[in-house]
Amino acid sequence: MNSDIRDDIFEEITNIFGINIIGFSQIELGHMNLKWKIDTDKGDLFVKQYNKTRYPEKMIQGLETSLNHQSNLYNEGIPCPELYSHKGKYVIKTSYGERFVLMGLSEGSNIKAGTANKEQMYNLGKIIGQMHKILNYNNTVQLPLHWDVRSKESMLKNWQARWREAISLDCKNTLSKLEIQRKIIEKSDIDIFSQCEKGWGHWDLFVDNILFKTNSVSAILDFDRMHYVYPEFDISRPILSCCLEKEQMHTDRVSAFVKGYQEYQKLTNQKLVRSIKLTWWKEAEWVRADNAYNSSPLKRFSEENIWVGDNWDDLECLFANIV
């Protein structure tokens, strides 16, 4: 029962931190993990429970590493929630084995995908550029990549399964989109991705994980997926999520993001386009006829992927005057 899990965690918070919980409201965003906003005698706080199926014990050490990075970023001035620790750990376990984190509640609002304004995008680019600089400063140790680029053979095998599925469901619209995907996969030289820089990245920077004020960013949220991977995901993912609206890319907003990012990190036209193609390569599998993927945000990821596919050969020109 969710109420039993909640009561167990709330009791632990009071016992460990001496925080009295006056009221709470459950937050429905997210997948499987339970979340609450709690009103306490220490102010408003945020609690997140880690579902045991989604986060088995073997994943907790990696999660702890990600949260350590979040805490360091907070201390360096990046707008993200302040974490509470217990005995040197951010992932806290109750006596009944529930795992949770406790952090400050960030102000700001989520926006609809594609609706960020230029000021918000400039500020977001600046924050992400600074974040990458902090995370990968003096990055001399090469760690194993958490995710690497699929081979063309693997991509085509995955594509064939989705093609057969779309045929069985007689989904003509999906078949036309998949045909575009096939042509891109077959003609692409994946050696372009060998130039991608390796390092720590947030790896989940879409609108649900960013809080905005009217003309700025108030907080970056949800560092759970932070890994040693390709930081370029943190360039293309927020651009696609925040600047693509009704199949139109707002290039003036992309330009604002790039200007902000360049205050801390280099960003060329080649790198910008490569980052978008990298996200396409990773998320191509979301384009399918299966109704299970018709929910947000996967539906949105699919729409973004389709747009990139439709504009694959024109991306350099589209962004030519931006960088």
Side-chain angles (χ1 to χ4, degrees):
M1 291 286 289
N2 290 351
S3 58
D4 293 336
I5 294 172
R6 181 195 66 218
D7 292 346
D8 182 30
I9 291 172
F10 286 8
E11 183 179 346
E12 199 74 20
I13 289 170
T14 299
N15 290 341
I16 292 173
F17 299 105
I19 294 172
N20 294 315
I21 299 172
I22 301 162
F24 68 90
S25 57
Q26 188 162 340
I27 299 170
E28 299 301 332
L29 283 175
H31 178 59
M32 296 178 79
N33 303 319
L34 300 173
K35 303 175 184 179
W36 302 272
K37 170 189 171 183
I38 57 173
D39 306 319
T40 80
D41 58 349
K42 302 284 179 68
D44 293 339
L45 300 174
F46 174 79
V47 186
K48 179 175 181 176
Q49 171 254 9
Y50 290 106
N51 179 276
K52 292 174 184 175
T53 301
R54 190 174 176 199
Y55 284 90
E57 197 62 36
K58 65 182 180 181
M59 293 179 65
I60 297 302
Q61 186 51 54
L63 185 58
E64 194 69 40
T65 300
S66 301
L67 294 171
N68 267 286
H69 280 300
Q70 177 182 338
S71 182
N72 182 51
L73 289 169
Y74 173 84
N75 292 331
E76 292 286 340
I78 297 295
C80 59
E82 180 182 13
L83 289 159
Y84 285 67
S85 65
H86 176 58
K87 295 182 178 178
K89 299 287 186 182
Y90 295 109
V91 182
I92 302 166
K93 187 179 286 190
T94 72
S95 55
Y96 289 101
E98 292 295 338
R99 291 86 46 86
F100 71 95
V101 289
L102 177 66
M103 62 185 78
L105 188 74
S106 299
E107 295 182 353
S109 305
N110 288 114
I111 63 169
K112 242 181 107 178
T115 64
N117 62 39
K118 287 195 291 185
E119 291 79 9
Q120 289 170 332
M121 289 309 295
Y122 168 75
N123 191 225
L124 180 59
K126 193 172 176 180
I127 289 166
I128 295 172
Q130 185 183 10
M131 181 178 76
H132 283 173
K133 186 173 182 179
I134 295 166
L135 287 170
N136 297 302
Y137 175 74
N138 199 24
N139 185 12
T140 56
V141 179
Q142 290 286 307
L143 300 172
L145 287 170
H146 182 74
W147 175 91
D148 207 352
V149 177
R150 273 181 169 176
S151 67
K152 289 175 73 166
E153 292 76 15
S154 175
M155 289 288 285
L156 285 169
K157 185 177 180 182
N158 179 278
W159 176 89
Q160 286 164 356
R162 290 181 288 122
W163 177 265
R164 288 192 296 268
E165 178 184 65
I167 288 176
S168 70
L169 295 170
D170 193 29
C171 190
K172 293 182 176 61
N173 182 54
T174 301
L175 287 170
S176 67
K177 302 304 180 186
L178 289 176
E179 180 60 19
I180 292 170
Q181 278 200 352
R182 181 187 63 79
K183 291 176 180 177
I184 292 172
I185 295 168
E186 289 183 344
K187 73 181 179 183
S188 291
D189 178 5
I190 64 171
D191 282 348
I192 64 165
F193 300 131
S194 66
Q195 301 168 42
C196 294
E197 297 158 13
K198 300 173 182 177
W200 290 95
H202 183 285
W203 211 33
D204 205 15
L205 280 173
F206 71 110
V207 287
D208 282 9
N209 289 334
I210 307 167
L211 294 180
F212 291 92
K213 293 181 181 176
T214 304
N215 291 312
S216 63
V217 172
S218 58
I220 302 292
L221 307 176
D222 206 345
F223 286 77
D224 296 351
R225 290 191 66 197
M226 174 169 278
H227 283 293
Y228 190 86
V229 65
Y230 297 116
E232 288 180 29
F233 282 122
D234 292 351
I235 298 170
S236 48
R237 169 48 45 234
I239 285 175
L240 290 169
S241 188
C242 297
C243 300
L244 181 64
E245 184 180 24
K246 296 178 182 176
E247 300 182 15
Q248 177 190 354
M249 180 61 73
H250 293 284
T251 53
D252 57 335
R253 303 174 196 177
V254 179
S255 180
F257 175 93
V258 169
K259 285 176 183 173
Y261 189 86
Q262 286 176 328
E263 291 191 20
Y264 289 93
Q265 299 279 77
K266 289 181 181 179
L267 182 52
T268 62
N269 175 271
Q270 179 190 33
K271 184 174 178 178
L272 174 60
V273 171
R274 186 179 66 212
S275 75
I276 290 172
K277 290 184 174 181
L278 180 70
T279 288
W280 184 94
W281 201 264
K282 180 181 180 294
E283 297 182 355
E285 63 185 323
W286 298 134
V287 179
R288 61 183 299 180
D290 189 343
N291 289 332
Y293 290 162
N294 284 342
S295 62
S296 181
L298 296 183
K299 186 175 185 293
R300 169 69 190 193
F301 293 162
S302 173
E303 291 167 356
E304 292 165 3
N305 195 272
I306 289 167
W307 179 88
V308 176
D310 288 342
N311 293 275
W312 187 269
D313 294 324
D314 302 317
L315 293 172
E316 285 84 359
C317 291
L318 182 64
F319 298 116
N321 296 324
I322 289 176
V323 182

